[in-house]
Amino acid sequence: MNDERRTAGVPGLQSDACLGAVANERAQDMVQRNYFSHFTPTGLSPWDYLRAGGCRFHYAGENIAEADDENTALTELWNSSPHRENTLDVHYTKIGIAVATRPDGTEVFVEDFSD
């Protein structure tokens, strides 16, 4: 991801523990409650999770993917314009990434970004 950002002239992202914890919570929640969306079945957004997790931000975004493996997920995210825009957004300086596995083996990937 940072290679792609640098190629585009954008500084790399730093791993952030708070974002990582929230990304993990989001991925686990999607697996446990069997949904795939930026919004929970009860209407909570990624920004609600970031606030509840104590992450401070002015700008924040989220990429999610569901795939059989990491390479497929990364390819799908990169080939999606909105997800690629998140990846290359100059406002973002930090990232948290998590993966959770569904009972059928499908993986849920969450990338949470912030400034």
Side-chain angles (χ1 to χ4, degrees), residues 31 65-70 73 99-102 104-109:
V31 166
E66 192 171 48
D68 291 331
D69 59 70
E70 179 182 354
V99 181
T101 306
R102 295 193 186 280
D104 69 358
T106 303
E107 294 178 313
V108 175
F109 298 82

Side-chain angles (χ1 to χ4, degrees), residues 58-87:
H58 291 97
Y59 297 96
E62 180 179 80
N63 285 347
I64 59 174
E66 192 171 48
D68 291 331
D69 59 70
E70 179 182 354
N71 289 334
T72 301
L74 292 173
T75 299
E76 289 175 1
L77 289 170
W78 188 250
N79 289 334
S80 162
S81 293
H83 294 102
R84 185 173 50 252
E85 288 172 16
N86 262 352
T87 300

